[in-house]
Amino acid sequence: MYILGIVEGHNNSAALLKDGEVIAVCFEERLSRLKNDFGYPRRAIDYCLREAGIGPEEVDHVAMATENLPFGQVAVKREATFSVADHIFEQEQYWKPVLIDGKKVDYLDLFHKRLRVDELGYDLKGRKLERASFEEFKAIRMETVKDRLKKDEAHIHFINHHLAHSMYAVFSTPTCYDKDWLVFVADGYGEDCSSSVGVWRNNKFEFIAKSPKSGVGRLYRYGTLLLNLRPGVDEYKMMGLAPYATEYHTRPVCEALKVYLKVNGKEIDYTNPDKDLYFSMKERLKAFRFDAIAGGIQKYVEDISCQWFANVIEETGIRNIVYSGGVAMNIKINKSIMDMPQVEDLFIGPSGGDESLSIGAAYALWYKLHPEKPITPLKHTYLGPGYSKADAKAAIDGLLPAGGFDVIENPSAELMAEKLSEGKVMARSRGRMEFGARSLGNRSILARADDPMMIRKINTKVKMRDFWMPFAPMVLEESVPDYVVNPKGLHSPYMTIGFDSTKKAHKDLRAALHPADDSMRPQMVRRSQNPELHEMLTAFKSKTGIGGVLNTSLNLHGDPVCCSPGDSLKTLLNSGLDGLELDGYMVMRKTQ
């Protein structure tokens, strides 16, 4: 049986489940090349079907994540297209009049110049969309799937937002059947709640609490905008800035924020006395410095989260945690949870944001239709498009200019390790693409991490990242004890948990640690999950004595992560990368 999962909101995606196992996942942005894309993910769906070798008629059921989607935000592709100025305009001209002044404002009329309805993948001809309700947009979504995938309504299912997050959290955990788990979800907003708690026990899941207006994710969202960063996109930048603030600066910010949230048993109550969160925060935090705001909000959400987790653990007696939703992308919160003495085990899957809802929706539908048939837990993230040696050769022949580059056929893992050991900044684009917000070796830029100047070198040559942002290490599983302070022995293969680092890491992985507090978010590389990557890292360790390298995503700043050989070659040609490994080839820039 095939179940196709679809999410159409922020960072739309598709996932295909075959007999209870995910066999293909792709984010639309990787193919459309519009970062954080929105709408019907036709390219991603086509990929999933092509990967399985089936046509639309062979899909048994379609699971559509989130029953109620706001058409206005989808129609303008908000997080994909809005600048900081657009987000501020939205607050001042839409949310303030609606929430504070009690006026009616037409969202699409306000943003009529930004509408991208022709790019959404829906048949919208002849429809009056000025005030499209949840129900009207739901009908449009249903009609699109019926038409494109040749399905009747009995085989199209809308899946609750937090149920999809919860099922993703459970089944992205390799040991989900080995013990009882608490299933936490927190995000900005999620249909009927913004945080939830469930229990996974004896192959059964049930919600035990939902908080309709918890606000943890929304608090972080508007803090991001107050720092003139893009909400829904740049929260990771605020998280990266937070460790630079001292307790002296963060404490008064935390005190100012206490008016907003309160943990009440298994729920988080939203206690804001003001009508709108953004303008309320803007007023309450106006006297504080930018780093204090970042650090204070980070500390506050960590404290709220840990109190919430502690309460639920105490009430249920379950000490094993899985976690998803946009807030679960905050590796600093996850570190605080990991450090709690009440927590015995913590596992966080790759990319808990809304892009993962396509997987979670497919899981949830399978669980509903076949509760007696176990789902196969996620084994790895390498489920995206892959390309052949012939594809790589065609891209090289079509894009690489004459002269300036050497092309080496059938490069070995030893050769890649040698180039890295020489201090080269190398890209690796081979095998099936990983899904998720973080590159995990198959679409990555790699470099030696023991040279502190590597940060400046990569930022100058390729990434143009904000100066305060850290890189991350990719570490052989066998070398984890050398570098990672990990008393609970957690396995974190997806860069989703923050850890303290050892003194050896301060030397060997300096450029991949956070400069302010020496913390890290490692990718622990297990041979069974990526044998070729493990082989290369083993060869690098043999040459250098170092069991890890610096890892960052293969893309230019502001672009989606590269997918095809052509995407990767364009990044090489438009940056200062020293070389690029493709399937069957290595392209090296000639020394000038």
Side-chain angles (χ1 to χ4, degrees):
M1 173 180 281
Y2 289 101
I3 294 178
L4 179 69
I6 298 173
V7 59
E8 301 152 273
H10 178 206
N11 209 345
N12 52 345
S13 69
L16 188 64
L17 206 66
K18 179 183 179 181
D19 297 333
E21 181 175 4
V22 176
I23 61 170
V25 183
C26 190
F27 299 174
E28 186 76 1
E29 67 162 29
R30 308 292 162 86
L31 302 174
S32 70
R33 308 310 296 163
L34 175 64
K35 192 172 178 64
N36 299 306
D37 209 344
F38 278 77
Y40 181 76
R42 63 173 181 81
R43 299 174 184 85
I45 291 170
D46 289 347
Y47 156 70
C48 288
L49 300 183
R50 189 168 60 250
E51 182 66 33
I54 63 174
E57 66 282 353
E58 294 172 82
V59 173
D60 296 281
H61 295 274
V62 179
M64 303 182 71
T66 310
E67 186 168 0
N68 295 322
L69 278 179
F71 177 74
Q73 294 172 17
V74 175
V76 298
K77 299 196 174 192
R78 186 173 66 172
E79 278 76 9
T81 64
F82 270 26
S83 65
V84 170
D86 292 325
H87 281 288
I88 293 174
F89 179 82
E90 180 189 48
Q91 293 299 321
E92 293 177 343
Q93 301 301 318
Y94 183 76
W95 292 115
K96 182 178 182 293
V98 170
L99 296 178
I100 297 177
D101 302 331
K103 298 179 180 178
K104 290 185 177 180
V105 181
D106 189 315
Y107 191 91
L108 296 187
D109 183 59
L110 194 65
F111 290 103
H112 67 279
K113 292 183 178 180
R114 304 200 67 89
L115 290 178
R116 303 181 72 145
V117 292
D118 294 337
E119 303 170 20
L120 298 178
Y122 306 110
D123 183 5
L124 301 174
K125 292 180 180 178
R127 294 182 181 268
K128 294 182 178 181
L129 298 172
E130 288 80 2
R131 301 183 185 276
S133 65
F134 287 137
E135 291 76 17
E136 289 169 323
F137 188 33
K138 180 180 176 182
I140 292 168
R141 295 162 63 202
M142 172 72 79
E143 289 298 323
T144 300
V145 172
K146 287 170 63 177
D147 179 60
R148 297 285 182 86
L149 298 176
K150 313 302 180 187
K151 293 286 164 287
D152 57 43
E153 291 190 13
H155 293 89
I156 303 171
H157 312 258
F158 287 94
I159 305 298
N160 176 268
H161 192 95
H162 269 238
L163 179 61
H165 271 315
S166 298
M167 292 292 96
Y168 171 78
V170 170
F171 295 115
S172 64
T173 308
T175 56
C176 63
Y177 293 111
D178 297 347
K179 58 188 80 172
D180 299 341
W181 295 90
L182 287 176
V183 185
F184 288 86
V185 176
D187 53 17
Y189 53 91
E191 200 163 16
D192 60 345
C193 62
S194 293
S195 66
S196 63
V197 187
V199 173
W200 171 255
R201 178 165 35 205
N202 298 327
N203 200 27
K204 292 183 179 179
F205 173 80
E206 64 172 338
F207 285 113
I208 60 172
K210 285 189 174 185
S211 304
K213 297 180 179 180
S214 68
V216 174
R218 205 166 294 139
L219 197 77
Y220 216 90
R221 175 185 180 87
Y222 290 132
T224 301
L225 183 55
L226 290 175
L227 294 179
N228 284 324
L229 299 170
R230 294 169 300 160
V233 178
D234 290 339
E235 279 80 356
Y236 74 100
K237 295 185 180 183
M238 188 166 84
M239 180 179 67
L241 179 62
Y244 291 98
T246 65
E247 184 184 357
Y248 173 80
H249 290 104
T250 60
R251 193 185 309 113
V253 174
C254 285
E255 288 297 318
L257 295 171
K258 285 184 177 179
V259 68
Y260 294 121
L261 301 174
K262 181 181 180 181
V263 180
N264 183 15
K266 300 189 298 293
E267 298 181 7
I268 302 175
D269 290 338
Y270 182 62
T271 57
N272 181 17
D274 304 315
K275 293 182 178 180
D276 176 83
L277 183 56
Y278 169 73
F279 290 101
S280 177
M281 288 179 65
K282 184 177 180 180
E283 179 63 26
R284 292 177 189 275
L285 301 183
K286 66 182 180 182
F288 297 111
R289 222 167 59 175
F290 67 97
D291 57 337
I293 293 174
I297 292 176
Q298 179 65 42
K299 180 64 167 62
Y300 180 68
V301 296
E302 287 178 29
D303 291 346
I304 287 289
S305 299
C306 288
Q307 184 61 62
W308 180 39
F309 277 65
N311 286 6
V312 178
I313 291 170
E314 182 178 5
E315 183 165 328
T316 63
I318 301 173
R319 302 175 64 188
N320 309 305
I321 308 296
V322 291
Y323 191 22
S324 191
V327 179
M329 296 294 289
N330 190 305
I331 59 105
K332 305 292 283 186
I333 293 177
N334 300 343
K335 180 183 184 302
S336 294
I337 295 166
M338 174 189 69
D339 289 340
M340 293 170 59
Q342 302 97 317
V343 173
E344 185 175 291
D345 196 357
L346 173 68
F347 192 88
I348 298 172
S351 200
D354 284 1
E355 61 272 8
S356 65
L357 289 173
S358 58
I359 308 172
Y363 280 147
L365 183 57
W366 177 272
Y367 174 75
K368 177 182 178 181
L369 297 175
H370 302 288
E372 77 289 351
K373 296 181 181 179
I375 289 171
T376 302
L378 196 67
K379 298 173 183 176
H380 55 75
T381 69
Y382 307 105
L383 295 164
Y387 297 87
S388 67
K389 184 177 179 181
D391 293 329
K393 182 65 163 60
I396 290 170
D397 291 344
L399 293 172
L400 208 62
F405 293 92
D406 292 319
V407 179
I408 303 162
E409 191 171 1
N410 298 324
S412 64
E414 286 276 339
L415 180 60
M416 183 66 162
E418 179 182 322
K419 297 299 183 184
L420 291 171
S421 70
E422 293 171 353
K424 304 291 188 186
V425 179
M426 299 292 295
R428 187 175 188 271
S429 177
R430 56 174 295 179
R432 291 181 69 181
M433 184 179 194
E434 55 272 72
F435 78 84
R438 288 150 186 160
S439 293
L440 299 172
N442 282 11
R443 299 295 187 277
S444 286
I445 293 171
L446 308 175
R448 286 190 73 132
D450 58 338
D451 178 7
M453 294 304 293
M454 193 60 73
I455 298 172
R456 181 182 297 179
K457 185 176 182 180
I458 294 175
N459 275 335
T460 302
K461 284 191 167 191
V462 190
K463 300 295 287 189
M464 310 304 175
R465 287 161 62 99
D466 299 289
F467 68 89
W468 67 84
M469 290 299 297
F471 289 108
M474 174 188 290
V475 181
L476 279 168
E477 183 180 36
E478 297 82 354
S479 297
V480 166
D482 295 334
Y483 300 126
V484 184
V485 178
N486 188 16
K488 296 179 181 178
L490 301 184
H491 182 53
S492 183
Y494 304 130
M495 290 186 178
T496 51
I497 303 176
F499 292 85
D500 290 324
S501 58
T502 66
K503 289 185 178 179
K504 183 172 175 59
H506 299 171
K507 176 178 178 292
D508 288 358
L509 303 177
R510 168 50 59 195
L513 306 181
H514 197 294
D517 61 6
D518 291 331
S519 63
M520 62 162 75
R521 50 179 176 93
Q523 174 193 355
M524 301 177 185
V525 180
R526 181 172 284 174
R527 184 188 299 274
S528 61
Q529 291 182 308
N530 194 325
E532 294 83 7
L533 183 63
H534 189 278
E535 181 186 8
M536 187 276 292
L537 291 173
T538 301
F540 179 80
K541 184 176 181 179
S542 177
K543 292 178 182 295
T544 64
I546 299 173
V549 297
L550 180 153
N551 173 31
T552 188
S553 57
L554 175 53
N555 63 305
L556 297 174
H557 185 68
D559 287 347
V561 177
C562 295
C563 182
S564 70
D567 299 335
S568 302
L569 279 167
K570 289 173 185 176
T571 298
L572 173 68
L573 294 172
N574 289 284
S575 72
L577 281 169
D578 294 309
L580 165 67
E581 183 183 10
L582 292 169
D583 289 278
Y585 295 93
M586 181 179 286
V587 180
M588 292 299 303
R589 192 181 302 276
K590 291 182 179 179
T591 303
Q592 298 298 318

